[in-house]
Amino acid sequence: MPVALGRGGVRANKREGDGGTPKGTFRPRRLWWRADRHPRPLTFLPVRAIRPEDAWCEDPSSRHYNQPMRLDREQSGDRLRRDDHLYDFIVEIDHNSSPRIAGRGSAVFLHLARGNFAPTAGCVSMTKSTMLRLLARLGPKTKIVIE
């Protein structure tokens, strides 16, 4: 399946902000999706609808680093509800999650690609049709290998 990777290439030593996609074997944890735009897709993963206040903490100095969080209107952060369609489907993977190490990378997702398959900030992106085919097969024990 064609995918776009991070602008920094695949990196064995991923760092926050390097634009690299982490090298390794990961497990999918959960699907986040825009219920206001799409019907719930078929998947074996736990599923959560994205709410306007949902965000992801990318601040290595925060105790919430590399975890989902809620933001009020005045707070800034990487909101999961975007105007474009890149985050209409987000597969959260277990990169830097157990244990979480500050600065080793956050918010590495599988998500939808830009129309021209431009590089990502470190995620793996794909077309909507590819994402839906993949989701129908993904479960918590699936291995995602990035080389």
Side-chain angles (χ1 to χ4, degrees):
M1 70 180 65
V3 298
L5 299 174
R7 67 183 181 281
V10 176
R11 297 189 175 238
N13 192 17
K14 170 81 180 133
R15 294 283 180 205
E16 189 69 39
D18 66 4
T21 300
K23 180 178 183 176
T25 301
F26 307 98
R27 299 244 187 230
R29 299 182 79 181
R30 169 174 32 187
L31 168 67
W32 298 73
W33 112 101
R34 288 289 300 264
D36 59 320
R37 292 182 175 172
H38 306 280
R40 182 182 174 135
L42 297 174
T43 187
F44 296 103
L45 293 172
V47 179
R48 167 126 179 232
I50 298 171
R51 297 178 304 226
E53 66 273 12
D54 286 331
W56 205 266
C57 182
E58 297 178 322
D59 178 359
S61 66
S62 171
R63 66 185 177 93
H64 301 293
Y65 179 64
N66 198 29
Q67 294 184 81
M69 58 188 288
R70 289 184 181 173
L71 297 178
D72 61 34
R73 294 191 198 284
E74 291 78 39
Q75 291 175 297
S76 63
D78 188 15
R79 292 190 184 270
L80 300 183
R81 192 171 190 133
R82 297 171 54 128
D83 291 335
D84 63 23
H85 291 275
L86 299 184
Y87 282 9
D88 282 8
F89 301 96
I90 304 168
V91 177
E92 175 187 341
I93 65 173
D94 67 354
H95 169 260
N96 193 26
S97 61
S98 186
R100 285 178 291 123
I101 301 170
R104 296 289 293 170
S106 64
V108 177
F109 305 130
L110 308 184
H111 65 73
L112 298 183
R114 297 185 193 285
N116 60 358
F117 269 85
T120 69
C123 295
V124 176
S125 68
M126 62 200 73
T127 64
K128 179 182 172 186
S129 62
T130 298
M131 175 67 80
L132 293 174
R133 283 195 322 270
L134 182 64
L135 287 174
R137 297 178 177 150
L138 280 183
K141 295 192 184 244
T142 302
K143 291 182 181 177
I144 298 168
V145 180
I146 301 172
E147 300 182 322

